[in-house]
Amino acid sequence: MSGLFEQIELKVKSQFPTIVFPEGTDERILEAAAKLGENKVLHPIVVGSHEEVSKKASEIGVTLDHIEVVDPATYPEFDELVTAFVERRKGKATEEEARKQLLNVNYFGTMLVYLGKAAGLVSGAAHSTGDTVRPALQIIKTKAGIRKTSGVFVMVKGDQKLIFGDCAINIAPDSNDLAETAIAAAETARVFDIDPKVAMLSFSTKGSANSPETERVSEATRLAKEMAPDLVIDGEFQFDAAFVPSVAAKKAPDSPLKGEANVFIFPSLEAGNIGYKIAQRLGDFEAIGPILQGLNKPVNDLSRGCNVDDVYKLALITAMQGLNG
């Protein structure tokens, strides 16, 4: 593991939080959960029937000694979850509907997080992003002042750590969306011991070009400054003016960023997705994520093409978010 993850692991280990993995019969999940438990990093709960989980674990040679297996169908506190779910959904689900819905592993796992029985959730190895995120939006919900969740990557190369967002969730964000993403990304940066300096990116620097696209980013910058007046943030900026001090001195000499931005907010999902992949493939940065932000408690979404190491690392990140939440 990189030095960043070694640091995170030590911090998480000192608190030994509980993380729930709804996909208890996925072998990658089981292997990662067993490793996390054996290393005494965190307490893993995997969701599924005891028989099916035990069978899969036996097939792949994984011991369940350090894993708690929880089956929604036999969970002794299921009635408590049903009552809390009905209350949380405020008339959108009857008790009968709640009982049925909470047999769904992602809804069940999300309720464990909501009720404080786990610090966070990691899913997505065998489910779509929607299947993972939807229960979180309905039950855990977004933080006050945040309308939408967003997804960022921590880009790591040696000792260098940068935040790129939104690279995962919102296709065509408006000014308010961009402002919320910026503020949430600054919070995420602090989780990773990054002192945030936020650049709102565009193809223009401080009015060098004018269009609805640049004005949207400029307005987002204004809104973000209103929402978080103590945050070091500026825009709209071209990437080089935000990142290279010599370029910043020419293009934006009065900016507080001074070419030292470390949190980059892209104007659209396509720009963010392309941007992080260029840094990853051409710049040799490790791309960690996507990390979902803006929720009251951490829920994170794996790629269905993930490996055991990806699960292990995302569990560490989720636990770290929970410790800082």
Side-chain angles (χ1 to χ4, degrees):
M1 283 195 301
S2 67
L4 174 63
F5 276 105
E6 288 174 357
Q7 292 169 28
I8 292 172
E9 188 173 71
L10 283 172
K11 289 180 181 177
V12 171
K13 202 171 189 176
S14 69
Q15 300 297 314
F16 198 66
T18 296
I19 298 295
V20 60
F21 301 87
E23 300 159 320
T25 55
D26 187 288
E27 60 186 61
R28 297 161 295 177
I29 297 293
L30 280 173
E31 284 189 41
K35 189 177 174 186
L36 287 159
E38 286 165 11
N39 292 347
K40 294 182 170 55
V41 177
L42 53 81
H43 175 66
I45 293 177
V46 303
V47 181
S49 84
H50 290 269
E51 186 180 342
E52 289 177 7
V53 173
S54 296
K55 181 182 176 186
K56 177 59 73 173
S58 180
E59 285 174 4
I60 61 174
V62 166
T63 174
L64 297 176
D65 292 352
H66 302 282
I67 297 175
E68 182 182 355
V69 181
V70 175
D71 183 354
T74 59
Y75 186 59
E77 295 169 42
F78 193 77
D79 287 348
E80 178 192 345
L81 267 62
V82 170
T83 302
F85 182 82
V86 171
E87 185 180 314
R88 186 62 165 165
R89 297 295 288 138
K90 293 178 180 174
K92 292 180 181 176
T94 64
E95 182 181 328
E96 184 181 348
E97 289 167 340
R99 287 186 180 281
K100 183 177 179 182
Q101 203 151 22
L102 287 172
L103 292 175
N104 174 295
V105 293
N106 281 313
Y107 275 95
F108 180 83
T110 303
M111 280 302 296
L112 295 184
V113 177
Y114 172 62
L115 292 175
K117 298 176 189 296
L121 176 147
V122 174
S123 190
H127 289 89
S128 69
T129 296
D131 289 338
T132 300
V133 176
R134 194 177 304 109
L137 292 174
Q138 291 178 358
I139 298 166
I140 292 172
K141 303 189 179 182
T142 54
K143 293 178 179 177
I146 302 287
R147 297 180 308 165
K148 297 178 181 177
T149 187
S150 53
V152 299
F153 282 83
V154 183
M155 309 300 292
V156 181
K157 185 178 181 181
D159 293 331
Q160 193 172 21
K161 295 180 288 188
L162 308 171
I163 303 287
F164 282 15
D166 180 350
C167 305
I169 303 291
N170 297 301
I171 295 172
D174 61 23
S175 294
N176 200 82
D177 296 334
L178 291 172
E180 289 181 2
T181 298
I183 291 166
E187 289 184 18
T188 300
R190 293 185 188 103
V191 170
F192 293 94
D193 294 324
I194 300 169
D195 183 19
K197 296 178 181 177
V198 184
M200 307 295 282
L201 297 180
S202 185
F203 57 84
S204 164
T205 297
K206 306 296 282 185
S208 63
N210 283 302
S211 74
E213 289 80 10
T214 62
E215 288 169 9
R216 179 168 50 90
V217 177
S218 180
E219 173 65 5
T221 306
R222 185 188 69 78
L223 290 171
K225 286 178 178 178
E226 278 185 7
M227 295 175 190
D230 295 332
L231 181 62
V232 178
I233 182 169
D234 208 359
E236 83 285 4
F237 265 86
Q238 291 159 288
F239 184 85
D240 57 352
F243 189 66
V244 182
S246 61
V247 177
K250 293 174 185 173
K251 290 189 173 184
D254 298 326
S255 172
L257 296 180
K258 302 190 185 306
E260 297 176 345
N262 49 26
V263 178
F264 299 92
I265 306 304
F266 291 84
S268 67
L269 181 58
E270 62 184 350
N273 192 271
I274 292 165
Y276 99 79
K277 287 180 184 292
I278 288 174
Q280 180 186 36
R281 301 301 179 183
L282 293 183
D284 291 327
F285 276 81
E286 181 183 3
I288 299 163
I291 301 166
L292 298 186
Q293 55 181 26
L295 292 167
N296 281 308
K297 294 186 178 183
V299 168
N300 278 308
D301 178 42
L302 291 157
S303 160
R304 278 175 280 183
C306 67
N307 58 33
V308 174
D309 192 49
D310 294 331
V311 179
Y312 191 97
K313 287 179 175 178
L314 195 59
L316 289 178
I317 288 169
T318 305
M320 190 71 174
Q321 286 179 292
L323 297 181
N324 287 266

